Amino acid sequence: MFMPHLVYAYPYPPPYAYRSLLFSRTPQGKVAELRLELQSSGGKKDKGHMTKRIALKKIVANMTMSNNDMVALFPDVIAVMSLQSLEIKKMCFLYLVNYARMKPEIALKALPILLGDLEDSNPLMRALALRTLSYIHVRQFVEALVQPLKSLLRDSDPYVRKTAAFCVAKLYDHDRHLVENSDLIDRLNLMLRDENPTVVSSALASLMDIWERSESIKLTIDYANASKIVQILPDCSEWGQTYILEALMSYVPQSTEEAALLADRITPRLSHTNSAVVLTCIRVILYLMNYIESEKTIAGLCAKLSPPLVTLLSKGPEIQYLALRNALLILQRRPEVLRNDVRLFFCKYNDPIYVKVTKLELIFMLATERNIKEVLTELREYATEIDVHFVRKSVRAIGKLAIKIEPAAKLCISTLLELVATKVSYIVQEATVVIKNIFRKYPNQYESIISTLCENLDSLDEPEAKAAMVWVIGQYADRIDNSEVLLEDFLDSWPDETHEVQLALLTATVKLFIQRPTKGQELVPKVLKWATEETDNPDLRDRGYMYWRLLSSNPQAAKSVVMGEKPAITAESEKLDSVTLEEMCLVVGTLATVYLKPVHTVFRSARPRRLQDSPALQRTRLPSYQAAQQAKLMSSSSSPLQANGGGAAGDVLDEADAYFASVGSSGGTSGDLAVGGTDGQRYVVNQGQGLGQMQPTVHVQNGEGDLLSF
């Protein structure tokens, strides 16, 4: 049976049509609609100005999404601002703060309304109007705020006084000369005697902010004032406690008893639930320790610092990371704080990678001869994880522990060989790099493992690993039977190698020739020609010319230079220098400690932190003082050696000077060559720049604070 096709006629457009109508509406149409809603009276049914509230919420939502079309509603919003509704005023003030600088001439119409609200009977309204005025960076608003602010600093309501205290700092940010020429800062000082703890902490925070920005204002706190503000700590909010503790960093103890007593009084804040309070309290205690003479008192305070740091590790990963980065600092300044807690920093399976890597750095710092077996077992597990970056760091940490703890070197090498046996490419390459450093640290002790490294040459495809293996082949060419064959394999890809590998190959070839002349006599001319004629790298070319002239003029001198005894390397190059360490301990808990850089390099406007002089300051215990004394001792001990020309090495340098001087006088080269050294130079573990490359000690302050990168 035939069924007719039925067509339904909708009395209204289908649902999808509404969507197209909604999104096809022009911005001008939306603004006009909102203007009508703001201007509508609403009638008797519109209780509490509900229509205007809904319209203002729509305006704020569009404003939040950076819709600048809403600025066209400025006059209409100002007209609504006079309604006595706290909710409406909040939205109107938010709109005013957002668009006042775009339309300052229209915004001025709102100034009388704001000044009238400053005298409202409702303290919330007064505080809201005051806060809004302080946020508007328009000259007329800033100047109009000064006189009302003076009276509101003495308001009967503590919430208004607290808001007024913060507004002084905000006003100082807008126009510092206006504030300095008025008596607002003096009035702010008087608020430190306020009976309300929240007002006192807010006044302190405002004064600290002004002090940070001003070069003419100095903030000083004596013991009497410090004692008073510590007394109100328990009655303040968590942020108020943070403000007070930060202000205590401006207190300079005049006696060790004052410092010890104040440190003891603030230790209960270490058990606070807020991590900001805990870290700021740790900062103040570390600061006061510099003024305490008694070792017993310092040991007691250090024992109290360990539990709060450990407690922070039970919080979220972001707080953990902040606590761990600060622990790296604290351990360098006060190693006794976490000396026996290495197991607390073992990684969990669900830790983020940034937490794992920081824990790895702490494990390395806390490793000792007593716990090395436990630490190596843990690192061995880390080296079998999935994350390649973390595995590399773990393998590198094992190698650094062999350099750091000499009695455990054999155990560390055994662990590394076990990892090499896995034949995993990136593990083998990291192990090769660190084993090269172990050879540098312990010459003629562990060369039996060279054969194991040579079995894995095919796994090496990274420049650093290749350079390390080439160094091993060149250094021990007389012990590797087929050393010339191994070098030839690397030399086949010479044009494609990085400059780092080419430098290592050049030096290794010269070493092969010096140790085994018959095996290297064919390779040396070829490599020297490549290095001097077929490269555009100045370092490679200069080194090639140096080797060529040494070998052609005085082979014995060349042997003394190239195969001479190298300075001992160390695994401690990751430590901050003493001056930076002192400053960083004064900013514990700030963003600067995450970057491990001085605070003025992270925040341009921040002042450099320094320990203030005082009769109680224990200068001889400061890292900067100890480093200066050590430098003096080293310079005095090196003077006789320099006077004698440095022994055999001095003779070699004299011969080289004489040779190049003769070349210069005969017209072969132009200019003079100065041979010498710079104070403070030393070899740093694994710069990866070939043999014989002298580098200044690299400190963490010049990098990103990655302690396990060589």
Side-chain angles (χ1 to χ4, degrees):
M1 182 177 177
F2 176 75
M3 294 294 293
H5 181 66
L6 299 178
V7 178
Y8 293 94
Y10 286 93
Y12 301 101
Y16 63 84
Y18 287 113
R19 191 184 313 167
S20 62
L21 287 172
L22 179 64
F23 285 95
S24 64
R25 187 171 54 182
T26 62
Q28 291 79 10
K30 184 189 295 185
V31 171
E33 183 180 322
L34 291 171
R35 179 178 287 114
L36 287 175
E37 293 180 14
L38 288 175
Q39 293 176 352
S40 66
S41 60
K44 295 181 179 179
K45 294 183 179 180
D46 188 14
K47 296 181 179 179
H49 308 287
M50 187 58 66
T51 304
K52 291 182 174 58
R53 290 185 186 183
I54 295 173
L56 285 169
K57 287 179 181 178
K58 292 178 184 178
I59 293 170
V60 170
N62 281 276
M63 183 181 69
T64 306
M65 293 185 292
S66 302
N67 186 352
N68 288 331
D69 295 326
M70 297 297 109
V71 74
L73 297 170
F74 215 142
D76 304 284
V77 172
I78 292 177
V80 176
M81 197 180 293
S82 58
L83 295 176
Q84 293 302 311
S85 169
L86 188 61
E87 184 180 358
I88 289 177
K89 282 189 178 291
K90 281 182 180 179
M91 291 185 283
C92 290
F93 290 169
L94 184 61
Y95 180 94
L96 181 63
V97 170
N98 196 61
Y99 290 126
R101 296 191 70 177
M102 292 178 62
K103 299 285 186 178
E105 66 283 353
I106 302 177
L108 286 174
K109 297 178 181 179
L111 184 55
I113 301 174
L114 285 168
L115 293 175
D117 288 337
L118 290 177
E119 301 175 1
D120 195 278
S121 58
N122 186 350
L124 293 177
M125 187 70 75
R126 296 199 299 273
L128 180 61
L130 181 59
R131 188 183 299 113
T132 304
L133 272 170
S134 67
Y135 285 161
I136 299 174
H137 196 175
V138 176
R139 166 60 56 186
Q140 291 84 346
F141 282 81
V142 173
E143 292 176 350
L145 178 60
V146 176
Q147 290 304 322
L149 185 56
K150 293 180 180 180
S151 60
L152 290 173
L153 286 170
R154 300 191 303 270
D155 195 274
S156 58
D157 190 274
Y159 180 71
V160 177
R161 296 200 301 275
K162 183 201 81 167
T163 307
F166 284 121
C167 286
V168 175
K170 195 67 179 175
L171 196 62
Y172 189 85
D173 186 35
H174 294 326
D175 190 342
R176 61 177 62 193
H177 299 295
L178 182 65
V179 175
E180 290 176 357
N181 293 332
S182 66
D183 60 345
L184 286 173
I185 295 178
D186 295 331
R187 291 171 183 265
L188 202 57
N189 267 315
L190 294 175
M191 293 182 72
L192 297 178
R193 304 174 186 174
D194 198 285
E195 58 184 13
N196 189 287
T198 304
V199 175
V200 174
S201 62
S202 302
L204 270 174
S206 185
L207 286 169
M208 290 289 292
D209 188 74
I210 293 172
W211 171 75
E212 281 280 353
R213 300 169 186 272
S214 173
E215 298 178 357
S216 58
I217 297 174
K218 185 178 180 182
L219 182 65
T220 56
I221 300 177
D222 57 14
Y223 181 72
N225 286 321
S227 181
K228 288 178 182 178
I229 61 177
V230 168
Q231 190 174 356
I232 65 172
L233 266 175
D235 302 323
C236 293
S237 65
E238 52 192 16
W239 299 116
Q241 294 182 36
T242 306
Y243 298 146
I244 289 176
L245 290 170
E246 286 181 348
L248 287 176
M249 295 295 293
S250 300
Y251 162 65
V252 182
Q254 298 301 309
S255 68
T256 59
E257 292 78 11
E258 286 184 7
L261 183 58
L262 199 62
D264 186 63
R265 291 179 63 184
I266 65 173
T267 48
R269 301 302 104 201
L270 293 172
S271 58
H272 201 280
T273 56
N274 188 297
S275 56
V277 176
V278 174
L279 288 172
T280 310
C281 185
I282 290 174
R283 185 203 312 174
V284 178
I285 292 175
L286 287 173
Y287 164 69
L288 292 174
M289 282 184 187
N290 296 302
Y291 298 89
I292 298 176
E293 183 179 8
S294 171
E295 292 285 356
K296 184 178 180 181
T297 304
I298 292 177
L301 290 172
C302 287
K304 293 178 181 179
L305 293 182
S306 180
L309 282 172
V310 174
T311 303
L312 291 176
L313 298 181
S314 62
K315 297 183 179 291
E318 292 81 8
I319 301 298
Q320 284 186 49
Y321 181 66
L322 181 60
L324 292 168
R325 298 300 288 180
N326 283 278
L328 290 173
L329 269 180
I330 295 170
L331 275 176
Q332 293 186 48
R333 182 68 180 93
R334 303 286 178 183
E336 59 273 20
V337 172
L338 295 166
R339 180 168 290 168
N340 301 318
D341 296 332
V342 66
R343 295 188 63 183
L344 297 170
F345 299 102
F346 285 174
C347 299
K348 299 177 183 177
Y349 75 95
N350 58 348
D351 281 338
I353 182 61
Y354 56 89
V355 171
K356 285 184 176 180
V357 171
T358 312
K359 283 185 174 181
L360 199 60
E361 297 169 2
L362 280 165
I363 291 171
F364 168 76
M365 294 182 71
L366 292 169
T368 61
E369 189 176 350
R370 290 177 296 176
N371 59 21
I372 187 63
K373 291 185 178 179
E374 186 178 18
V375 168
L376 284 178
T377 303
E378 188 72 12
L379 294 178
R380 177 70 175 79
E381 291 295 323
Y382 298 163
T384 58
E385 289 202 7
I386 299 174
D387 192 293
V388 176
H389 178 67
F390 184 55
V391 170
R392 288 177 178 273
K393 293 284 187 181
S394 303
V395 175
R396 191 158 290 206
I398 295 173
K400 289 195 70 178
L401 285 174
I403 298 172
K404 176 185 177 183
I405 307 172
E406 186 171 350
K410 188 173 183 180
L411 187 59
C412 293
I413 291 173
S414 300
T415 306
L416 287 172
L417 292 178
E418 290 177 12
L419 295 173
V420 170
T422 61
K423 303 293 183 180
V424 179
S425 175
Y426 52 85
I427 292 180
V428 173
Q429 298 194 82
E430 285 296 328
T432 303
V433 172
V434 296
I435 287 174
K436 168 220 170 182
N437 297 324
I438 293 173
F439 287 162
R440 288 280 311 276
K441 177 69 174 179
Y442 309 109
N444 304 319
Q445 291 189 38
Y446 301 106
E447 283 75 11
S448 58
I449 65 175
I450 293 177
S451 58
T452 305
L453 295 179
C454 293
E455 293 172 3
N456 296 276
L457 287 179
D458 296 336
S459 302
L460 307 180
D461 56 12
E462 296 177 0
E464 190 177 8
K466 283 185 178 181
M469 191 65 221
V470 168
W471 181 89
V472 172
I473 296 171
Q475 186 71 17
Y476 301 102
D478 56 339
R479 305 187 191 184
I480 302 174
D481 295 334
N482 61 337
S483 55
E484 75 282 0
V485 177
L486 297 177
L487 275 181
E488 282 181 357
D489 291 340
F490 281 104
L491 289 170
D492 289 340
S493 58
W494 169 276
D496 302 324
E497 299 292 353
T498 62
H499 296 313
E500 175 185 351
V501 178
Q502 289 177 345
L503 285 167
L505 284 169
L506 173 61
T507 303
T509 306
V510 174
K511 286 183 177 181
L512 171 67
F513 175 73
I514 289 173
Q515 296 179 80
R516 304 174 70 180
T518 57
K519 299 289 185 181
Q521 61 185 358
E522 296 181 1
L523 291 179
V524 166
K526 181 170 61 175
V527 175
L528 287 176
K529 183 177 180 181
W530 290 344
T532 55
E533 299 180 7
E534 300 179 12
T535 182
D536 57 357
N537 182 266
D539 294 333
L540 184 61
R541 189 167 56 245
D542 289 351
R543 188 180 294 190
Y545 279 126
M546 183 190 73
Y547 286 156
W548 202 324
R549 289 167 180 169
L550 277 174
L551 291 172
S552 60
S553 63
N554 192 337
Q556 192 61 35
K559 181 177 181 180
S560 301
V561 171
V562 179
M563 299 301 299
E565 185 178 351
K566 307 297 183 295
I569 61 174
T570 174
E572 301 300 322
S573 61
E574 74 279 357
K575 286 190 174 181
L576 293 168
D577 66 88
S578 55
V579 177
T580 304
L581 179 60
E582 279 183 23
E583 181 177 354
M584 295 299 294
C585 287
L586 300 179
V587 292
V588 166
T590 66
L591 191 61
T593 57
V594 175
Y595 291 105
L596 288 179
K597 291 183 176 181
V599 65
H600 63 276
T601 63
V602 180
F603 305 104
R604 293 180 182 178
S605 60
R607 292 185 173 187
R609 298 295 197 270
R610 296 286 185 272
L611 284 172
Q612 299 299 314
D613 195 15
S614 163
L617 183 62
Q618 306 298 308
R619 295 177 184 80
T620 57
R621 296 180 187 171
L622 297 179
S624 57
Y625 178 86
Q626 295 173 355
Q629 294 300 112
Q630 187 176 4
K632 287 182 181 179
L633 184 63
M634 291 178 64
S635 62
S636 61
S637 62
S638 63
S639 297
L641 182 62
Q642 293 175 355
N644 295 329
D651 296 337
V652 173
L653 294 176
D654 291 339
E655 291 179 13
D657 281 341
Y659 171 75
F660 285 115
S662 64
V663 172
S665 61
S666 63
T669 59
S670 60
D672 298 327
L673 178 68
V675 180
T678 307
D679 291 341
Q681 284 185 322
R682 61 191 298 185
Y683 282 91
V684 180
V685 182
N686 190 21
Q687 288 293 333
Q689 297 179 347
L691 183 64
Q693 182 79 6
M694 185 74 84
Q695 295 286 340
T697 302
V698 178
H699 295 295
V700 182
Q701 71 182 71
N702 298 324
E704 289 300 320
D706 195 352
L707 300 190
L708 287 178
S709 62
F710 294 87

